[in-house]
Amino acid sequence: MSMTESSTDPTWSDADSADAAQLRAIGYEPVLARRMSGFGNFAISFSIISILSGCMTLFGFGMITGGPRVMVWGWVGVTLAVLLIGLSLAEVTSAYPTSGALFFMAHRLGGKGWGWTTGWLNLLGLFGIIAGIDYGASEFIGAFTGMAFGFTPDKWGLIAIFAGVLLLHGLLNTAGVRVLDLFNRVSVWWHLLGVAFIVAVLFLVPAHHQSASFVFTHYANGTGFKSAIYVSAIGLLLTGYTLTGYDASAHMSEETTQASVLAPKAIVRSIWVSGVAGLVLIIAFLFSIQGDAEQYATEAAGSGYGGTVTAPSLIMIDALGQHWAEVLTLVIIVAQLCCGLAAVGSTARMVFAFSRDGALPGSPTWRKVNKRAVPTNAMWLAVVVAFILALPSLWTIQAYAAVTAIGTIGLAPAYVIPGFLRARQGKSFQKGVWNLGKWGPVIGYAASVWVVIEVILFCLPQGSPVTALSFNYAPIALVAALALSGVWWLARGRASYAPPAGSVEAEQFADLDVI
């Protein structure tokens, strides 16, 4: 397939649109095809958040890091904190609706250093998110084949399934934004109806349910650590990891109509809808736990990393029987596959945009797009890096939790830096059409405080005793990414990294607020 620097699709032309005018005012010439609606923009963030991916793949982890009490109330608290981050990011997205999104916002509001650091953090987090989503899907596929066909893949089999899932997502993403948009639309309804179906079955079919006291107050600790405060704190990773990926709405803004309004709305909507649906899903699974709670918590958590059966699958088998467990596991797998597809698409746009501004080694290669206006090279780079990040799972069962932590500690700071810089500007910030008014700075600073706490928590050891195999290598990945960015900055970045110096007067585009 031939590669070009711009779209050659004769059916696409947004040269006269207000969106294109705003993009040119910011400093970029339109290259990507603007074919995504507001619902499609919401759909990609909702699909990447994917409560049927994050909640399910880390359910076993949650069962031993505080258990039901932390899983339920931690979910509520972290969701509210994430909503603050999303509100702050949405406000800045309205002023700067570009594929580069976070790093471009940080550059405009704080300078090249802020933009450079934000971009590299965003990349690390997005690569980690792809690895976490698709490896988690591979575990569920392995659980399904074990239940349905008696074939339980070992660690090499899981890696092979993981590679196949990544390849599938790469191939589908080459088809163009319309295909991605279609899958994302299907994904929204699959998630919502799937959650409703799973919850209904879990409440109606089992002969026994746990008490409300167990679901909302029971504490469990299988980490080896003695401190309940410490264990509960690291247990927040379940929610922190799940509620990530909503920056996709910003990354897809150059392909979305009325982006300065619809992209911010999509960011906020994807968070609160996921928060409500995820809470219902977690509660339903907790009510369905059978047998001795303490013994079950340890067994379920261990199975979540072994590649034999995931914790939710074990719950479903015990509560519903194998037939229902197979059906509901298939529902979860389809949702996870849609989630991974959306994550690869979003990450490809980020790599494309960062390369467009000369920030990555080999930028001329990664910023090219194919005849369907898809940044194909950037997309395959994302697939390869995600595969590499998951390879430590061949040596340690803690690798998956570390990968999810990498995604979280990479994305959370990247999400909040634009809001922090906007808050620092105060009244001098040039607001977009969608804004928070006088509450913008307050929300930006509050979100920043939470992110500092979150990053520290998710860099901590997740099991005791701490050994070479149980060590949380997420902070090493973070330091390595920042070190690479620093070395590249000194070698080439200072000269090659050159975001446009355009200016945007958001009031010129107020007519976009038609929703």
Side-chain angles (χ1 to χ4, degrees):
M1 181 175 293
S2 63
M3 309 298 288
T4 66
E5 291 287 350
S6 63
S7 173
T8 59
D9 186 345
T11 65
W12 168 60
S13 176
D14 72 345
D16 298 323
S17 70
D19 293 295
Q22 183 175 17
L23 189 60
R24 290 191 179 96
I26 290 173
Y28 290 116
E29 185 64 25
V31 172
L32 303 176
R34 198 176 293 274
R35 296 181 177 128
M36 184 170 283
S37 66
F39 182 80
N41 188 279
F42 154 76
I44 191 169
S45 283
F46 183 76
S47 295
I48 296 177
I49 291 175
S50 183
I51 53 177
L52 286 173
S53 179
C55 285
M56 296 295 93
T57 53
L58 280 183
F59 199 93
F61 178 83
M63 285 298 297
I64 60 168
T65 53
R69 182 195 304 174
V70 175
M71 294 171 76
V72 172
W73 299 113
W75 182 275
V76 173
V78 175
T79 296
L80 294 175
V82 172
L83 191 57
L84 294 178
I85 302 173
L87 286 166
S88 184
L89 177 61
E91 181 178 45
V92 186
T93 297
S94 181
Y96 304 105
T98 70
S99 293
L102 283 59
F103 81 84
F104 181 81
M105 300 171 193
H107 169 76
R108 279 296 173 85
L109 298 174
K112 288 182 69 172
W114 282 102
W116 180 268
T117 302
T118 301
W120 279 89
L121 287 170
N122 197 190
L123 271 183
L124 173 67
L126 289 171
F127 292 148
I129 287 295
I130 295 174
I133 292 168
D134 281 0
Y135 192 85
S138 302
E139 286 190 323
F140 271 80
I141 293 171
F144 177 78
T145 61
M147 288 186 289
F149 309 111
F151 170 72
T152 301
D154 59 11
K155 60 184 180 180
W156 294 101
L158 279 177
I159 282 291
I161 296 172
F162 174 57
V165 171
L166 283 172
L167 179 62
L168 173 65
H169 288 157
L171 293 174
L172 287 174
N173 265 283
T174 62
V177 71
R178 282 181 174 171
V179 173
L180 184 61
D181 189 31
L182 174 62
F183 273 98
N184 289 333
R185 289 169 179 269
V186 171
S187 175
V188 169
W189 295 111
W190 187 273
H191 274 81
L192 293 176
L193 295 177
V195 168
F197 178 63
I198 291 172
V199 169
V201 171
L202 288 174
F203 274 113
L204 294 175
V205 175
H208 166 75
H209 288 94
Q210 291 286 348
S211 66
S213 175
F214 169 83
V215 171
F216 296 105
T217 66
H218 183 76
Y219 172 81
N221 177 13
T223 64
F225 294 110
K226 302 300 182 182
S227 170
I229 295 177
Y230 182 91
V231 172
S232 299
I234 61 176
L236 299 179
L237 176 62
L238 167 66
T239 316
Y241 165 70
T242 302
L243 297 182
T244 54
Y246 48 87
D247 60 320
S249 291
H251 291 304
M252 299 301 296
S253 58
E254 287 188 38
E255 295 161 88
T256 303
T257 59
Q258 303 179 33
S260 64
V261 175
L262 298 184
K265 287 185 175 181
I267 291 172
V268 177
R269 186 179 300 132
S270 67
I271 295 171
W272 74 257
V273 172
S274 297
V276 172
L279 180 62
V280 173
L281 183 67
I282 288 174
I283 290 174
F285 269 93
L286 292 174
F287 267 115
S288 301
I289 290 176
Q290 309 291 303
D292 182 77
E294 292 292 349
Q295 180 180 353
Y296 183 83
T298 303
E299 182 182 359
S303 70
Y305 300 114
T308 54
V309 59
T310 66
S313 297
L314 186 60
I315 293 173
M316 292 185 289
I317 291 172
D318 290 347
L320 306 171
Q322 182 165 319
H323 174 71
W324 273 114
E326 291 173 4
V327 172
L328 299 191
T329 299
L330 276 178
V331 172
I332 294 171
I333 289 171
V334 172
Q336 291 174 334
L337 292 177
C338 289
C339 173
L341 177 68
V344 171
S346 173
T347 304
R349 272 67 182 180
M350 167 57 194
V351 174
F352 158 79
F354 213 28
S355 299
R356 178 174 59 183
D357 290 346
L360 293 180
S363 285
T365 298
W366 313 127
R367 66 174 174 243
K368 291 181 178 179
V369 299
N370 67 10
K371 64 181 182 181
R372 295 186 180 93
V374 176
T376 314
N377 289 0
M379 181 267 299
W380 287 115
L381 176 66
V383 166
V384 171
V385 174
F387 179 76
I388 293 172
L389 279 178
L391 285 179
S393 64
L394 292 172
W395 295 279
T396 170
I397 61 174
Q398 299 295 333
Y400 183 74
V403 166
T404 58
I406 288 172
T408 307
I409 65 177
L411 289 181
Y415 289 170
V416 84
I417 286 173
F420 167 77
L421 295 174
R422 176 265 178 269
R424 195 175 66 170
Q425 285 197 354
K427 294 181 179 179
S428 64
F429 172 70
Q430 294 294 319
K431 299 174 185 174
V433 179
W434 193 100
N435 62 78
L436 301 173
K438 65 180 181 180
W439 293 103
V442 175
I443 291 175
Y445 283 130
S448 301
V449 171
W450 160 247
V451 168
V452 171
I453 296 172
E454 184 179 37
V455 170
I456 293 173
L457 292 181
F458 300 156
C459 285
L460 296 174
Q462 298 167 343
S464 178
V466 179
T467 66
L469 291 180
S470 66
F471 183 73
N472 179 7
Y473 71 88
I476 295 179
L478 177 64
V479 171
L482 293 177
L484 176 61
S485 72
V487 170
W488 185 247
W489 172 262
L490 295 174
R492 291 287 303 278
R494 287 178 295 183
S496 64
Y497 177 53
S503 62
V504 59
E505 296 295 337
E507 291 78 5
Q508 297 176 23
F509 307 98
D511 60 324
L512 292 177
D513 192 5
V514 298
I515 302 302

